[in-house]
Amino acid sequence: IARETFTDTVNKINELFERAEELGCPTYTEGCLSCMTGYLLYFCIETKYSKEMKQISLFIQRQNDEIYHPRGVHIVEPMLRGLRCIELVVYPAPNKPI
């Protein structure tokens, strides 16, 4: 895997996490409305943060399918590791008949 490809993937993941953590009017409104409804609002709507987490999952899945899996590498979603790290799983090369 080219260094630039991996760097682009990590930068895009970081960009998506940064966007998920952004504070703005919708985030504050979500917080206030959920507090006023005793957090019952979360049963009715999907939060901005959870929408962004789904986008990150889809991005990683797409990158795995298109770039990494054909080369024997799998990126484990950071959400499964407590958002602490990006884990790479390297699969052994299949035995090729001679």
Side-chain angles (χ1 to χ4, degrees):
I1 297 172
R3 182 182 195 130
E4 297 81 27
T5 303
F6 181 70
T7 304
D8 289 343
T9 300
V10 171
N11 287 339
K12 181 65 175 178
I13 291 170
N14 286 335
E15 179 185 310
L16 291 170
F17 273 118
E18 187 176 316
R19 196 166 55 189
E21 295 289 331
E22 282 180 352
L23 297 177
C25 189
T27 307
Y28 290 120
T29 305
E30 256 178 29
C32 290
L33 288 175
S34 63
C35 190
M36 288 189 292
T37 61
Y39 296 96
L40 294 174
L41 179 69
Y42 292 138
F43 290 114
C44 302
I45 66 164
E46 189 176 18
T47 64
K48 177 185 179 289
Y49 186 79
S50 62
K51 288 177 189 175
E52 292 295 334
M53 290 297 114
K54 284 184 181 179
Q55 289 296 320
I56 293 169
S57 292
L58 289 173
F59 173 74
I60 292 173
Q61 182 180 359
R62 203 171 333 111
Q63 290 291 89
N64 277 332
D65 292 342
E66 295 172 5
I67 298 170
Y68 295 100
H69 286 168
R71 292 173 176 86
V73 178
H74 175 77
I75 298 178
V76 178
E77 292 186 29
M79 288 71 76
L80 300 176
R81 301 292 179 247
L83 305 176
R84 295 173 302 209
C85 61
I86 294 177
E87 181 179 334
L88 298 175
V89 177
V90 180
Y91 297 105
N95 293 332
K96 294 181 181 177
I98 298 177

